[in-house]
Structures are given as structure tokens and as C-alpha cells.
């Protein structure tokens, strides 16, 4: 039997019972509601009409009594009450429905007709005494009889209401018993379905669920027993076919994976860098020979066991930022000694993401930069040596050009003066380049110490701004200074800080067109003093921002260059020597903004004492 047939057969009984129960409930509610509505509507009309007739009779009595015993009152009130009585009597005559009610209604109508005639006779009596006698002997007995008849009609209708309600209650009780029997029958059929049919459906599904969990844990050798020819049996057969296919795929993929791993290890071992690949939890899955021999990054270990803290930090950053985390400067290189020789490795982490941007793992690459570092040191030393050697003859050339321009050795022709001025300007520019190179070399190798002392930012900035203002005036560029109130002193090397602001202001002046503005500002925030130099010049393209602090770098397409690209490099070295870091933001055509922070002198002193 098919699974659909089983479910339909098991569901038919409860569905039929539910349908019968629904029909009975609808029929019972409809009959009861119609019966109650008809009974209550007719009986209520009769009760209301009779009550109104009783009140009208009582009103006539009160009006007559007031007139006879006080001499006040109006016959018009009697006529109004009589009219009210007649209207309600007519309603009652049109609503007669109970046994005995027609006779009572006719007797009530006859009594009312007699009373109306006697009221007419009462109105024509000659005096009050005769009226009193007539009221006691004729009107009062007639009024009492009318009220008694109306009350009998009211009681008959109320009894009919109670009787109808009792019948409906008995009918409802019988209906409840029928519904209860049907519900119990439905429950019985449901239990029979659960006991007999349920296991034949639930047991294969449970077995299939357990099999899925086993396969989820990697047991592809499992075979599910079908047990029946229904849809569940067909599903079990399809499941077995799927596991067979998966076993074949696993065997094939395992072979492919082994080949890929061996090829990957051979390729990685041929690289002169240390390379490891680990999963998101930090377990190392692939590691080449350099990583194992130099850094003890063996397969099966974790990043947490690495002694170098910088490697662990880069791994955590790659997990959080989901982007490559390179280290570009030699200061970030890791120092390793092998066979008594010093080696330097520059680390970089690269997260590996799948198509859904989910993290699959992290690759750690330790590039050997020992030779590059040695070349850089050799280059810096060579530049320093050459700069020293050039400084002495360059000084003589500068002195000679100044002597010639002063014409102490004789007058110069205009053409000769022009040539000497050009030589003087070029020698001065070359001299400043050499000075900058020597300053950078001293800062890089610690030959020039930063002599810190409390410095007033206000006095420092006023001095630098006043010194450079003539250059800004000559170019037609506004130089603005923003000093908001009292700014505490900073702990810095005043001379070198002047070089920082001179270079930043000179850089802003050089790339700001006439009519633009260069602004220097300082403010206190979060316990630090923030310095900012911003201009409205041509700006720096985004792709060049990471390189503008490199030595000899000059962004292309920014007009004629008259410098060697050392000013910002010197700024960076000086601020790093102060324990600060310069930041830059810019958009082409909207100027550039350079900013850095320094600690107040008091907090900086406390910080240095605590560090000591």
C-alpha cells in the first residue's frame, strides 16, 4: 500500500466524524436559535403590551381618585390613558399564540369596553358624592378585573418562555451527548491509526533520520533497509544510491586532494619564504620546510603556540578584518638567527574566502627581506657618505656664488649675473636636499636624539606663521591660524617641531593656487593636543596617499616639482621620534589635510616616569 493511501485511509474516519459533528452543531444551533427567537419575540410582545395596559388602568384610577378626593385633575389624562390602553390591547389581539390566550384576550377586551362606557357615565354625574359612590361600586371592580386578566396573560407568556427554554436545554443536552459520542469515536479511530498505521510510517522515517546523521558524521558505508514499497521505501533506495555515489566521489576526491597537497607542498618548499595555511580556528594544515625549520610552525599545531606575538596579532586581524594585512616597513620585520647569521622576515596574512564571503582559512607568508634590508642599509649609508662628501665642495660653490653676486671681485654683466643667480639657487636647493638626507639618516639610525622640553604651541605656531607669511603674501595665498583659548604646553623638540610645521606649510603653499587658503589649527580633545594643517589646493589622488611619506616620492600630475620629495618623509621621521603618527586625508580638487597629536607636557612627563 502506498503512503498516500495509508494517510488517506487513516484520515477518512476522523474527517467523516468531524463532518457529522459539524452538521449536527450547525443544525442544532440553527433550530435552537430560530425557536428561541420566535418564542421570545411573541411572548415578549404580549408581556410588554399587558404591562402597558396595567399601567394605563392604574393611571386612570389615580386620575379619578385625585379628582374625587381633591377636586383637582383633568379628564384629558383619562382620555390619554384610555388611548394608550386601546393601542396595547390591539397589539395583544394581533399577537395571540398560546392555548387559552384568545379567551383571556377577548374577556379583557370586553371588560375594557364596559369600563369605557362606565367612564363616559362617570363624566356626566352631577356631583362629587355621586362620583365617589359610582367609583367604588362600578369603576374600581372593573379596573381590578382588567388588571387581573392582563396579569394572567403575562404569566401565561412567561410560563411559555420557561417551558420553551427547558425544552431547548433538553435538546442541547441530547446534542452534547451525540457530539461527545462522535468525538470519542474520533479519538478511538485516531488511537487505532497511531497504534496500527503510525509505526509503519514513523519507523522508516526514524531509521532514515538516524542514517542521515551517521552520514553527516562521515559514515558513508551505511546502507538503509527499505522494508516497504511505498514512497519511504523508494526514498530509502534513492538514499542508498546517493551514499554509493558519495563513496565513489570521496575516493576520487581523496586521491585528487592527496595529489593537490603534495603538489602544493612541493611548490611551497621551492619558495624561499615561510608559508603556512591554517583553518579559521588557528590549526595549521599546510606548512613548508622554511616555516617548520625557522619558526617551528608545524602541521597539526596552532597559531597560539607560536612564540612571536606579531604573528598571532596579524592572524587575529585577518580573522576580524577579512582582508590582507601586510607589513610594509622594515621596522615590522621579524628577526631570526640561523647558523649564527641574522635574517629578517616581513609577515603578511591573507584571508581565504569562499564565494559566499565566508572565511575558509588564513594564509601566513613570511617573506625573507634580509638582502633587501641590507641593500637599504647600504643605500642609506652610501647616501649619508656621499652627502657628507658633497657638503664641503658645495659649501665652497655657494660661497663663491654669493661673493660673485656681491661683485666684490668686479662687476658682472647682466647675462653673467643671471647665470650666477641660477647657480646660487641650484646650489642652495642641493644644499637643502643634502641637509634633509642627513637629517633623515640621523633620525633613522638614532644618531640624532630628540631633545624634548615643554613647548608652548601658541608661541611655536605664531613664530612659524610669521616667518612664512611673506612667502604666502607673495603667492597670494591666505595663511590662517586657529588658536582657541589656552592650550597647554607639549613635551617636544622645539626646533624639530618647527621643521614639521615649516614643511607642512610649505607643502600646502606649493600646491595651493593664488586666492586659496592654508589653515593651521590646534585644539584639545580626549586629553591630547590635536594639530592640523589643511589647504584648499589641488589635493592628492587616493592611490598615492599611502606613498607620500616615502623618501623621494613625488605624486605625478601635480605640476612642476622643485623638491626631491623629502619634506614629508622628514615630517614622518620627526613625529615618530616624538611617539606620534601623522595622518593624511585628501580628495582631488578639494585640498589635503595633515594631522597629528601630542601629549600635554604634564601627562607626557607622568607617562615617561611611569614607563621608567
Amino acid at each position: 500500500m502506498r503512503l498516500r493511501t495509508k494517510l488517506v485511509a487513516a484520515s477518512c474516519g476522523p474527517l467523516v466524524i468531524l463532518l457529522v459533528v459539524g452538521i449536527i452543531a450547525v443544525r442544532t444551533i440553527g433550530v435552537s436559535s430560530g425557536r428561541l427567537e420566535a418564542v421570545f419575540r411573541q411572548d415578549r410582545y404580549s408581556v410588554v403590551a399587558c404591562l402597558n395596559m396595567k399601567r394605563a388602568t392604574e393611571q386612570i384610577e389615580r386620575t379619578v381618585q385625585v379628582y374625587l378626593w381633591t377636586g383637582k385633575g383633568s379628564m384629558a389624562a383619562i382620555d390619554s390613558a384610555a388611548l394608550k390602553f386601546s393601542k396595547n390591547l390591539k397589539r395583544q389581539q394581533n399577537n395571540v399564540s398560546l392555548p387559552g390566550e384568545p379567551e383571556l384576550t377577548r374577556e379583557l377586551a370586553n371588560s375594557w369596553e364596559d369600563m369605557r362606557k362606565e367612564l363616559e357615565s362617570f363624566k356626566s354625574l352631577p356631583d362629587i358624592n355621586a362620583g365617589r359612590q359610582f367609583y367604588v361600586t362600578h369603576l374600581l371592580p372593573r379596573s381590578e378585573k382588567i388588571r387581573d386578566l392582563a396579569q394572567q396573560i403575562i404569566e401565561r407568556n412567561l410560563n411559555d418562555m420557561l417551558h420553551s427554554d427547558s425544552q431547548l436545554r433538553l435538546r442541547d443536552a441530547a446534542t452534547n451527548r451525540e457530539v461527545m459520542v462522535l468525538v470519542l469515536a474520533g479519538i478511538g479511530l485516531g488511537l487505532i491509526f497511531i497504534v496500527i498505521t503510525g509505526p509503519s510510517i514513523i519507523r522508516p522515517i526514524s531509521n532514515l533520520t538516524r542514517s542521515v546523521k551517521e552520514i553527516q558524521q562521515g559514515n558513508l558505508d551505511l546502507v538503509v533497509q527499505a522494508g516497504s514499497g511505498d514512497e519511504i521505501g523508494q526514498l530509502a533506495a534513492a538514499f542508498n544510491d546517493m551514499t554509493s555515489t558519495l563513496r565513489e566521489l570521496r575516493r576520487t576526491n581523496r586521491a585528487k586532494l592527496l595529489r593537490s597537497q603534495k603538489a602544493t607542498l612541493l611548490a611551497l618548499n621551492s619558495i624561499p619564504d615561510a608559508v603556512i595555511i591554517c583553518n579559521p580556528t588557528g590549526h595549521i594544515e599546510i606548512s613548508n620546510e622554511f616555516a617548520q625549520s625557522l619558526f617551528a610552525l608545524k602541521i597539526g599545531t596552532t597559531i597560539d603556540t607560536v612564540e612571536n606575538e606579531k604573528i598571532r596579532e596579524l592572524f587575529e586581524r585577518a580573522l576580524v578584518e577579512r582582508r590582507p594585512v601586510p607589513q610594509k616597513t622594515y621596522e615590522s620585520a621579524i628577526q631570526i638567527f640561523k647558523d649564527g647569521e641574522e635574517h629578517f622576515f616581513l609577515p603578511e596574512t591573507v584571508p581565504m574566502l569562499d564565494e559566499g564571503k565566508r572565511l575558509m582559512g588564513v594564509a601566513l607568508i613570511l617573506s625573507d627581506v634580509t638582502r633587501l634590508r641590507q641593500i637599504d642599509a647600504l643605500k642609506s649609508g652610501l647616501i649619508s657618505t656621499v652627502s657628507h662628501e658633497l657638503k664641503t665642495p658645495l659649501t665652497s660653490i655657494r660661497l663663491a656664488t654669493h661673493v660673485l653676486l656681491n661683485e666684490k671681485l668686479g662687476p658682472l654683466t647682466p647675462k653673467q649675473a643671471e647665470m650666477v643667480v641660477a647657480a646660487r639657487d641650484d646650489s642652495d636647493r642641493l644644499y637643502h636636499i643634502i641637509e634633509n638626507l642627513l637629517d633623515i639618516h640621523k633620525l633613522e639610525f638614532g644618531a640624532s636624539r630628540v631633545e624634548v622640553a615643554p613647548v608652548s604651541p601658541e608661541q611655536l605656531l605664531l613664530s612659524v606663521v610669521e616667518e612664512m607669511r611673506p612667502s604666502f603674501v607673495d603667492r597670494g595665498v591666505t595663511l590662517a591660524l586657529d588658536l582657541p583659548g589656552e592650550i597647554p604646553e607639549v613635551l617636544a623638540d622645539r626646533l624639530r617641531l618647527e621643521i614639521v610645521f615649516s614643511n607642512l606649510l610649505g607643502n600646502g603653499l606649493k600646491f595651493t593656487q593664488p586666492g586659496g587658503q592654508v589653515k593651521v589649527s590646534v585644539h584639545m580633545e580626549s586629553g591630547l593636543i590635536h594639530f592640523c594643517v589643511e589647504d584648499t589646493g589641488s589635493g592628492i589622488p587616493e592611490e598615492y596617499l599611502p606613498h607620500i611619506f616615502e623618501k623621494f616620492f613625488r605624486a605625478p600630475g601635480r605640476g612642476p616639482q622643485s623638491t626631491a620629495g623629502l619634506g614629508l618623509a622628514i615630517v614622518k621621521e620627526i613625529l615618530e621620534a616624538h611617539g606620534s603618527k601623522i595622518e593624511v586625508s585628501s580628495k582631488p580638487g578639494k585640498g589635503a589635510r595633515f594631522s597629528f597629536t601630542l601629549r600635554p607636557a604634564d601627562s607626557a612627563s607622568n607617562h615617561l616616569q611611569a614607563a621608567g
Side-chain angles (χ1 to χ4, degrees), residues 542-560:
E542 185 176 356
E543 62 269 22
Y544 300 132
L545 286 177
H547 307 288
I548 61 172
F549 295 107
E550 297 176 2
K551 290 178 289 186
F552 304 110
F553 178 80
R554 294 185 294 181
R558 302 194 69 200

Side-chain angles (χ1 to χ4, degrees), residues 291-311:
Q292 296 183 28
S293 61
L294 295 178
F295 297 93
L297 297 172
K298 299 181 179 180
I299 298 175
T301 60
T302 62
I303 289 292
D304 295 335
T305 61
V306 179
E307 296 181 359
N308 191 282
E309 184 178 353
K310 187 175 294 183
I311 294 178

Side-chain angles (χ1 to χ4, degrees), residues 325-397:
V325 184
Q327 300 293 307
K328 297 182 178 180
T329 61
Y330 292 134
E331 289 77 6
S332 305
I334 299 174
Q335 184 183 34
I336 295 293
F337 287 93
K338 180 183 178 182
D339 299 331
E341 295 182 359
E342 184 181 36
H343 294 269
F344 293 91
F345 289 85
L346 202 61
E348 178 181 2
T349 51
V350 180
M352 297 181 293
L353 306 177
D354 61 9
E355 295 178 354
K357 301 299 181 182
R358 292 183 295 270
L359 186 67
M360 297 189 302
V362 177
L364 175 63
I365 305 169
L366 296 160
S367 303
D368 190 349
V369 294
T370 305
R371 182 172 179 78
L372 294 176
R373 184 182 174 93
Q374 292 172 349
I375 293 173
D376 186 71
L378 181 62
K379 179 188 67 176
S380 298
L382 178 62
I383 290 174
S384 176
T385 302
V386 171
S387 298
H388 276 291
E389 293 298 326
L390 290 176
K391 193 173 182 181
T392 300
L394 185 59
T395 302
S396 300
I397 295 172

Side-chain angles (χ1 to χ4, degrees), residues 36 42 51 105 129 177 186 228 234 291 336 350 385 442 527 536 559:
L36 280 176
Q42 295 176 357
L51 287 174
T105 302
N129 290 329
R177 287 193 295 273
S228 64
Q234 296 173 10
I336 295 293
V350 180
T385 302
K442 292 176 182 178
T536 59

Side-chain angles (χ1 to χ4, degrees), residues 165-180:
D165 182 65
S166 299
Q167 287 183 336
L168 290 174
R169 287 181 182 273
L170 292 174
R171 185 186 295 258
D172 291 342
T175 302
N176 288 337
R177 287 193 295 273
E178 294 174 0
V179 171
M180 186 61 67

